[in-house]
Amino acid sequence: MRTYRLSPAGRRTSLVLLVGSLLIWAFALWSFASTLRLSYNPAQFWPSLQASLAAGLGVGQVVPALLMLALIVATPLLIWNLLEEWSATYTPDDDGLRFDSLGIVITCPWSTVAGVRPADDDGDEPLDEIVLRQDTTAQIANPLLRFLHRQAYGRRRLPVYAGLEDRADLLSAIRHHTALSPDA
């Protein structure tokens, strides 16, 4: 029983993306506060927000603030996805495929695998997804982890990351166990 995980090159790529995401998130927090003249000090946050709103906000403040707010909310979700990719392992055996990552454990019997398809035809790196016949995310005990995984991949899909070591062997094993054609 072989376990597949990110290659060293895949880990480096994920690390670079993770650092970039953290920098973007820090910039968004700083820019949001400076645009609205807010203080992140817990004792000063609400008074500074009220003062900023009382002074009136122009379009030059509202539009950048909304953009930064979107980044403040979305970037932690991206960071979570990168961390999930970083620690993902796939273990195919005679009974099915096991996916493990950051407390997420999903076991997919081979009968539940409907196919493997490309998730991003336009990307430089191949990214495939395993399409499942049923919702396997109910196996994730922690509701927060279940929500984060579902928001990233949905209820009936598992990613096969581009940076996996021996990725072609994993896809071949999945197709072998499920009797899928190489094009499926």
Side-chain angles (χ1 to χ4, degrees), residues 128-149:
D128 294 312
E129 59 188 13
I130 301 167
V131 181
L132 304 167
R133 290 186 174 95
Q134 64 188 36
D135 179 8
T136 56
T137 59
Q139 298 175 27
I140 304 170
N142 184 314
L144 177 61
L145 295 179
R146 187 179 326 119
F147 166 76
L148 290 170
H149 184 78

Side-chain angles (χ1 to χ4, degrees), residues 5-6 11 82-89 100-103:
R5 51 182 44 95
L6 280 184
R11 286 185 174 273
L82 291 168
L83 290 173
E84 185 175 346
E85 179 179 355
W86 175 276
S87 66
T89 61
D100 290 300
S101 183
L102 296 177

Side-chain angles (χ1 to χ4, degrees), residues 19-105:
V19 169
S21 299
L22 289 169
L23 290 172
I24 289 170
W25 193 57
F27 171 75
L29 285 170
W30 171 79
S31 183
F32 183 76
S34 66
T35 300
L36 296 180
R37 296 180 301 278
L38 298 177
S39 170
Y40 283 132
N41 179 340
Q44 298 291 325
F45 181 77
W46 290 111
S48 65
L49 178 62
Q50 290 172 343
S52 182
L53 292 174
L57 299 175
V59 173
Q61 289 175 299
V62 172
V63 172
L66 288 176
L67 178 62
M68 293 305 119
L69 183 60
L71 286 173
I72 289 168
V73 172
T75 304
L77 297 174
L78 171 64
I79 291 168
W80 165 257
N81 292 339
L82 291 168
L83 290 173
E84 185 175 346
E85 179 179 355
W86 175 276
S87 66
T89 61
Y90 301 83
T91 309
D93 61 22
D94 291 336
D95 298 326
L97 179 69
R98 180 183 168 103
F99 175 83
D100 290 300
S101 183
L102 296 177
I104 295 171
V105 179

Side-chain angles (χ1 to χ4, degrees), residues 110-178:
W110 294 120
S111 61
T112 64
V113 177
V116 178
R117 69 176 184 202
D120 184 15
D121 292 330
D122 297 334
D124 293 337
E125 303 244 347
L127 177 65
D128 294 312
E129 59 188 13
I130 301 167
V131 181
L132 304 167
R133 290 186 174 95
Q134 64 188 36
D135 179 8
T136 56
T137 59
Q139 298 175 27
I140 304 170
N142 184 314
L144 177 61
L145 295 179
R146 187 179 326 119
F147 166 76
L148 290 170
H149 184 78
R150 282 180 179 170
Q151 72 82 25
Y153 305 110
R155 296 173 184 261
R156 297 175 140 197
R157 292 181 288 146
L158 273 179
V160 180
Y161 299 112
L164 283 178
E165 197 163 26
D166 296 327
R167 186 174 178 283
D169 291 345
L170 174 62
L171 291 172
S172 177
I174 293 169
R175 288 184 176 106
H176 169 74
H177 284 290
T178 58

